[in-house]
Amino acid sequence: MSNPTIAQKAPYPVAVETGKTYFWCACGNSKNQPFCDGSHKGSEFSPTRYTAEKDATVYFCGCKHSQNGALCDGSHKALNARNRPLGAQLRLSRDRGFCRLDWAVWDALRLRLRQAVHPVKDKFGTLTRHRI
């Protein structure tokens, strides 16, 4: 399956009405985001049906990589420079061979590790936090 076009790297807040059905664009090519306008014709994508259970504001996925159907699950935060989820790119690289891992993946991993904070004791025995 090919990757969908990323409409935006943020969710679309939409006020929905009880019982109303909405068709979320899964391909990312719709001019009426986050809803389908038929731009997927001729592709492997099809819109996802969403029926509102109550009047509320829901957040439709804008990056088109949500594992939660039409609703945002925060996947846009994990997209790398090539607009693929980091895990998907790691799986692709693993299938091709670990030694051929794309440098963009290594850079993304190094960035995540740098953001990690580790507790360390200083010379006085006080617990402090240091970034890698």
Side-chain angles (χ1 to χ4, degrees), residues 5-59:
T5 302
I6 294 174
Q8 70 178 24
K9 290 185 179 181
Y12 290 97
V14 177
V16 296
E17 299 171 17
T18 305
K20 190 171 179 184
T21 300
Y22 301 86
F23 290 92
W24 173 74
C25 169
C27 70
N29 295 323
S30 173
K31 302 293 184 231
N32 188 28
Q33 289 294 334
F35 304 114
C36 180
D37 67 359
S39 298
H40 63 276
K41 299 284 190 237
S43 72
E44 60 193 88
F45 298 100
S46 61
T48 301
R49 176 188 295 246
Y50 174 81
T51 303
E53 296 175 0
K54 61 180 180 177
D55 290 348
T57 299
V58 297
Y59 295 88

Side-chain angles (χ1 to χ4, degrees), residues 57-121:
T57 299
V58 297
Y59 295 88
F60 286 97
C61 177
C63 73
K64 312 303 177 187
H65 287 85
S66 175
Q67 301 299 313
N68 194 19
L71 302 179
C72 180
D73 67 354
S75 293
H76 59 275
K77 296 175 187 174
L79 294 174
N80 65 11
R82 293 190 176 179
N83 294 331
R84 289 190 192 136
L86 184 59
Q89 192 159 350
L90 285 172
R91 279 192 303 279
L92 285 172
S93 299
R94 184 189 66 213
D95 294 342
R96 293 182 192 142
F98 187 72
C99 62
R100 296 169 60 193
L101 188 61
D102 194 351
W103 283 110
V105 177
W106 281 117
D107 292 340
L109 285 172
R110 188 169 48 238
L111 178 66
R112 284 198 180 178
L113 288 173
R114 252 189 232 142
Q115 293 170 350
V117 177
H118 296 282
V120 177
K121 288 188 178 180

